[in-house]
Amino acid sequence: MSGRVGDLSPKQVEALEKLREAVKDILTPSHDEHCLLRWLRAREFDVKKTETMMRNDVVWRQQVGADTIIEDWAVPEVVEKYYTGGLFGQDKEGALLWIDPFGHIDLKGICRSVKKRDIIKSKIHLLETIYRKFAQLTKEQGRQVDQIVIVFDLEKFGRRHLWKPGADLFCEMVELFEDHYPETQKTCFVINAPTIFPVVYNIVKPFLNEGTAKKVHVLGSNYKDVLKKYIDADQLPIHWGGTACDDNGDPKCSSKICFGGEVPESYYLKMQSSESLNFKEVLVKRGSTVQLDFDIKVAGSGLRWQFTTEGFDLGFGVYRRTENGVRQKAGDMEEVIPTQRVNSHMVPEDGFYTCTEPGVYVLRFDNTYSWARSKQVLYSVEVLVPDDTGATKVWKEVGQADAAIVNGTDT
């Protein structure tokens, strides 16, 4: 049985009912039978694992603001102009078609122009857009539309694409796709694969579940004929063997499919002068962390930070102590902003958080994953407190003179 509506075994029907009961407190109108079965298929109808996955997703969606990201957040211009790919048509069964000439992407240029978190956020924005498109087409066409067919064109893909920060970013986005948009991919066709493709696939494959990995098909030189078995010619650009083109005759349909290209240096983010921002310096030792403590006494105060590292990336997160006066492990503190690795060696990392309640807030630099290199960090932190009118003002001078700095291993 496929595990889809209308094609369920008795055990699958039972699992569906058990899951519906187990997660009834988090169900929304979007959690119809098709949706619940999608989550179940992702965990091979293991109800416990599926429940855990769905509950983790609820927390994640709140953290990233996924439900309103389309209205609340704009994709950075450099990502819109230079991150490859685009939606184009549907396959013969109605699945949306995503064509990605990934071999043309300049990941290093993009990563020098926008923060890693915003690149990831742009992919969440894209996936939420696709899911709204699913709902629209399902209603308009009278059939269930809830998957995409991906065509990865690796023409011009080379060793420059094996750049580690870029590869790590791509794997992180694959993991996000698997964890929060499961069973969305119907199939993936890889075309014009270079000789180094097996190396690339071995990097990505650990982040794919077994079911997704089986949907990846590497096509040979006859790929145009294969694609047309699954996709009608008028739903496929001429460049990939179909008959569709832009109004101006462009066979690549570049108005809908971004071909990337080299990112101009004018987009690159520049670090402000460390002297003008009164930067402080701290060494995060290999296999270790540094915690910067701020005692926030006024609810509604804000923490604003900027930092950069020399040569290598770094983990960063914000926490709130549950026990004052004692160094705590990350797992023992309240997680405010989850720790994630940031490319602070490429672009300055900055952020702001409003402290909704008093307490000791911890800015945590995490280098526990690196046993070979210590990391030098230049940082600046401001604490802002609301005044009587509800506005904010600088409470302490820029810098870290009032922060307790604790260096050690907490994992």
Side-chain angles (χ1 to χ4, degrees):
M1 296 295 188
S2 67
R4 293 181 169 276
V5 173
D7 190 28
L8 300 175
S9 69
K11 285 187 177 181
Q12 290 171 339
V13 171
E14 181 182 3
L16 175 60
E17 293 307 314
K18 286 183 177 179
L19 177 65
R20 185 180 282 117
E21 177 63 24
V23 298
K24 61 184 179 182
D25 59 309
I26 61 171
L27 292 182
T28 68
S30 67
H31 289 107
D32 60 11
E33 196 166 273
H34 294 280
C35 176
L36 294 177
L37 287 172
R38 179 165 56 85
W39 290 91
L40 281 165
R41 290 197 304 274
R43 288 296 178 266
E44 298 180 334
F45 282 82
D46 184 310
V47 176
K48 278 292 184 185
K49 289 182 179 179
T50 304
E51 179 186 356
T52 298
M53 188 183 189
M54 290 184 68
R55 291 189 181 280
N56 289 341
D57 178 69
V58 169
V59 174
W60 174 82
R61 293 185 68 84
Q62 291 174 342
Q63 290 175 339
V64 303
D67 291 333
T68 59
I69 193 170
I70 295 175
E71 292 78 18
D72 296 346
W73 188 78
V75 177
E77 179 181 292
V78 68
V79 175
E80 282 195 330
K81 286 188 173 182
Y82 293 96
Y83 208 106
T84 55
L87 285 174
F88 195 95
Q90 294 173 266
D91 77 351
K92 293 182 179 181
E93 296 180 336
L96 289 179
L97 176 62
W98 174 268
I99 300 178
D100 198 332
F102 195 72
H104 293 258
I105 200 168
D106 177 13
L107 262 183
K108 184 176 289 188
I110 292 173
C111 288
R112 290 188 182 280
S113 305
V114 65
K115 297 179 185 66
K116 176 181 174 182
R117 68 172 181 266
D118 285 337
I119 299 174
I120 293 173
K121 203 169 181 178
S122 72
K123 293 305 155 185
I124 299 171
H125 189 285
L126 170 62
L127 286 161
E128 291 299 316
T129 301
I130 288 173
Y131 266 67
R132 292 193 186 185
K133 186 75 171 175
F134 285 161
Q136 174 191 340
L137 292 174
T138 296
K139 185 176 181 180
E140 291 176 354
Q141 298 179 359
R143 60 179 174 177
Q144 186 66 23
V145 179
D146 59 5
Q147 288 191 302
I148 58 175
V149 172
I150 300 173
V151 177
F152 265 118
D153 188 344
L154 297 186
E155 182 184 25
K156 296 187 179 297
F157 191 95
R159 293 191 178 278
R160 67 189 178 93
H161 293 93
L162 296 180
W163 177 64
K164 189 176 186 303
D168 289 345
L169 173 63
F170 186 80
C171 290
E172 189 168 335
M173 289 190 290
V174 169
E175 190 172 24
L176 179 151
F177 187 76
E178 290 280 77
D179 289 347
H180 303 291
Y181 302 91
E183 286 293 298
T184 299
Q185 177 183 292
K186 179 181 179 181
T187 190
C188 175
F189 296 113
V190 179
I191 62 176
N192 294 318
T195 55
I196 63 171
F197 176 73
V199 176
V200 177
Y201 190 55
N202 283 336
I203 294 173
V204 176
K205 192 173 181 180
F207 296 90
L208 302 175
N209 68 42
E210 186 177 348
T212 302
K214 290 179 179 178
K215 298 175 183 178
V216 178
H217 305 283
V218 182
L219 305 184
S221 59
N222 66 333
Y223 69 83
K224 292 182 180 180
D225 293 330
V226 176
L227 291 179
K228 284 188 287 187
K229 289 181 181 179
Y230 300 94
I231 306 162
D232 288 329
D234 64 348
Q235 298 291 297
L236 190 65
I238 293 172
H239 184 71
W240 287 281
T243 60
C245 63
D246 273 346
D247 292 340
N248 63 1
D250 178 8
K252 294 181 178 179
C253 297
S254 302
S255 66
K256 294 184 178 180
I257 300 168
C258 178
F259 267 74
E262 185 175 350
V263 177
E265 290 189 14
S266 58
Y267 279 105
Y268 289 8
L269 295 178
K270 303 295 193 293
M271 190 67 184
Q272 296 184 49
S273 166
S274 60
E275 292 183 1
S276 66
L277 286 180
N278 192 24
F279 273 64
K280 302 293 183 179
E281 190 170 350
V282 69
L283 179 69
V284 188
K285 298 177 181 178
R286 59 185 183 177
S288 187
T289 64
V290 163
Q291 297 183 358
L292 307 179
D293 288 7
F294 290 88
D295 189 3
I296 303 298
K297 300 183 183 300
V298 180
S301 297
L303 277 172
R304 183 165 61 197
W305 60 85
Q306 181 178 17
F307 67 90
T308 183
T309 50
E310 297 178 3
F312 304 97
D313 67 357
L314 188 68
F316 177 76
V318 180
Y319 297 80
R320 180 173 175 270
R321 292 203 183 281
T322 57
E323 186 176 350
N324 292 338
V326 179
R327 177 181 172 84
Q328 293 179 288
K329 296 180 179 180
D332 295 331
M333 294 187 284
E334 176 187 338
E335 187 179 67
V336 172
I337 298 177
T339 293
Q340 60 179 316
R341 289 169 67 169
V342 295
N343 292 332
S344 48
H345 60 309
M346 299 184 64
V347 297
E349 185 71 22
D350 58 42
F352 182 88
Y353 180 77
T354 301
C355 305
T356 55
E357 53 185 306
V360 176
Y361 287 78
V362 178
L363 273 59
R364 180 176 177 270
F365 297 125
D366 181 4
N367 196 32
T368 54
Y369 58 88
S370 178
W371 292 98
R373 298 184 178 94
S374 297
K375 311 287 175 65
Q376 200 73 30
V377 183
L378 288 174
Y379 66 91
S380 173
V381 182
E382 292 176 294
V383 180
L384 300 99
V385 65
D387 59 25
D388 293 337
T389 65
T392 59
K393 61 182 179 181
V394 176
W395 187 23
K396 297 185 184 300
E397 293 298 321
V398 176
Q400 275 314 147
D402 298 296
I405 302 177
V406 188
N407 198 332
T409 302
D410 65 3
T411 57

